[in-house]
Amino acid sequence: MPDTSKNFTGNVTGLTTNSFRNMQLDAGAFFVGLDTKEWTPTTSAKEVGEALNAAKKDGKCLGATTGGGAFRLVPETREIEADGMRAPIVGSTVFDGWDVGLTTTLKETTESNLHHIIATAEKDPTTGALRVRNVLEVTDYIPNVVWAGKVLGGALMVVEIINALNISGMEFTFQDKDEGTIAVDYKAHQDDLENMEYAPCNIWVFAGDEQVAVPDAMASTKSVTAPKTDNKK
């Protein structure tokens, strides 16, 4: 008979009884010019949710989307090379910067949205038409674009990118028996040279009353933050 005393008979899985409570649900929503300066490690999901609802009433939500969206945080890496290296060594990788952005596809074609889609759009006071300047000005950057989504256990996840520009331009697609859509790719930018040590974004997970407690070293909010910038618009 084979010796099975050293066999492992359990399951190998990352699933726990809390896994489903920690899963992000649905497509969430996108906001522009949201005031996040007052958020702290003790801010609750309920408080943030109320702020999001107020921002929506104030017209700061980009509205309905299709196909969800994506957050991009990709390092621009460089490997230091030297004779004798046969593979990358700990300490030889350099992060030269970060490509940070939010993408989605908008379904609401409001004039406000068009201003956020076309960075250099301005309204002609005579005709009322939107015209597009060739010159990009500092005031054309959107102070922030924010995505917010719910976590099943009652938490909220929020991603903020700073000094955003839609770098994909505007390609408005429309067809019979369907709705018009505009895909956008908002790219974040550093505010100035003083903030170069941080990527131009902030990430929060705001815990709700039903959220399972996070590890000891963490407060009720887990965040990765960049220095705040004052709203320009």
Side-chain angles (χ1 to χ4, degrees):
M1 295 289 292
D3 181 9
T4 61
S5 61
K6 295 183 180 180
N7 288 1
F8 175 69
T9 58
N11 293 322
V12 179
T13 176
L15 192 66
T16 70
T17 55
N18 292 323
S19 291
F20 300 107
R21 298 167 65 85
N22 296 327
M23 293 182 182
Q24 190 274 317
L25 300 178
D26 303 325
F30 291 82
F31 300 82
V32 294
L34 189 67
D35 184 6
T36 63
K37 294 189 296 296
E38 301 301 320
W39 293 352
T40 73
T42 60
T43 301
S44 69
K46 180 179 179 181
E47 292 173 299
V48 174
E50 291 171 350
L52 295 175
N53 287 333
K56 189 173 182 179
K57 291 179 181 179
D58 291 340
K60 295 182 178 181
C61 181
L62 293 177
T65 59
T66 184
F71 171 52
R72 181 178 70 254
L73 180 61
V74 181
E76 299 171 6
T77 62
R78 172 169 53 89
E79 291 296 331
I80 299 174
E81 297 182 358
D83 293 340
M85 290 179 61
R86 299 295 182 263
I89 300 173
V90 173
S92 67
T93 301
V94 177
F95 283 4
D96 285 330
W98 292 86
D99 176 24
V100 183
L102 283 168
T103 61
T104 190
T105 299
L106 303 177
K107 298 198 74 170
E108 297 192 24
T109 51
T110 64
E111 184 175 306
S112 175
N113 273 2
L114 293 179
H115 276 286
H116 296 128
I117 294 166
I118 309 168
T120 60
E122 61 181 25
K123 193 168 185 176
D124 188 320
T126 302
T127 66
L130 290 183
R131 300 189 300 180
V132 182
R133 285 183 279 103
N134 289 325
V135 178
L136 180 66
E137 300 175 355
V138 173
T139 54
D140 293 325
Y141 290 81
I142 304 171
N144 65 10
V145 174
V146 175
W147 170 85
K150 188 174 182 179
V151 178
L152 183 59
L156 279 176
M157 183 173 183
V158 179
V159 174
E160 173 189 42
I161 67 171
I162 297 169
N163 300 315
L165 281 178
N166 173 33
I167 60 172
S168 62
M170 177 176 173
E171 184 174 343
F172 185 31
T173 60
F174 38 84
Q175 57 185 327
D176 194 25
K177 297 182 181 180
D178 206 346
E179 300 80 38
T181 59
I182 306 172
V184 291
D185 182 352
Y186 289 107
K187 184 179 179 68
H189 297 76
Q190 297 285 7
D191 189 54
D192 53 44
L193 292 175
E194 295 181 0
N195 292 336
M196 296 300 288
E197 61 182 299
Y198 293 97
C201 64
N202 295 291
I203 306 167
W204 294 273
V205 178
F206 295 98
D209 291 338
E210 298 178 7
Q211 189 72 359
V212 177
V214 295
D216 294 341
M218 308 294 282
S220 62
T221 301
K222 295 183 284 184
S223 67
V224 179
T225 62
K228 292 296 181 180
T229 57
D230 294 332
N231 286 357
K232 301 185 185 69
K233 291 186 179 181

